[in-house]
Amino acid sequence: MKTLLAVDYFCEAARRYPQHIAARHGSESVTYRELDEQSNRIAMALTERCGREAPVIGVLMERGIDLLAAMLAVFKIRGTYMPLDGQYPAERLDYMLEKSKCCLLLTARNCFEQAAY
């Protein structure tokens, strides 16, 4: 019996309903096709950098569609998503990244610049 993960249901929805709105954030919206394509690009980059052994990926991003795409990408490679808050002290972020054996930190430039990190 195959176990389906939430990301598998998303991929099926993207295949069946590519033009339907998948997510909205503020005035921004994205279709299933667009979100699937964006998350696939990120997933490919993650695989190139971290390999295929279910890596831990730190994510430091503001809420929004880019964060959703990043989360989906981590789940697509069967990685572990580790959310990070830019308001945490730099020492706390360092500790979390080190102890988790984080392979990579995904962030947006504005999040990194605003973080205490």
Side-chain angles (χ1 to χ4, degrees):
M1 181 172 147
K2 182 179 177 184
T3 302
L4 292 178
L5 303 175
V7 71
D8 298 320
Y9 289 105
F10 168 81
C11 292
E12 178 62 20
R15 188 185 66 74
R16 285 183 166 190
Y17 313 107
Q19 296 304 321
H20 289 144
I21 299 297
R24 294 182 205 276
H25 184 262
S27 62
E28 190 178 8
S29 65
V30 64
T31 65
Y32 278 100
R33 174 181 289 132
E34 293 166 336
L35 187 55
D36 191 43
E37 289 172 354
Q38 184 178 356
S39 64
N40 284 341
R41 284 191 301 275
I42 297 168
M44 286 176 52
L46 292 175
T47 300
E48 287 174 7
R49 289 171 176 78
C50 296
R52 298 185 182 271
E53 295 190 20
V56 175
I57 307 293
V59 180
L60 175 64
M61 300 176 96
E62 293 178 1
R63 289 183 184 192
I65 292 174
D66 290 340
L67 173 60
L68 182 57
M71 291 171 62
L72 282 167
V74 172
F75 299 146
K76 283 180 176 187
I77 66 166
R78 304 303 195 242
T80 301
Y81 162 74
M82 184 176 67
L84 298 167
D85 186 334
Q87 299 302 312
Y88 288 169
E91 297 80 26
R92 174 74 177 146
L93 293 172
D94 283 339
Y95 176 82
M96 292 173 71
L97 292 168
E98 181 182 328
K99 289 298 180 183
S100 69
K101 296 184 172 83
C102 186
C103 169
L104 190 73
L105 173 62
L106 275 178
T107 189
R109 182 181 311 272
N110 65 328
C111 291
F112 189 76
E113 290 170 353
Q114 293 172 7
Y117 198 59

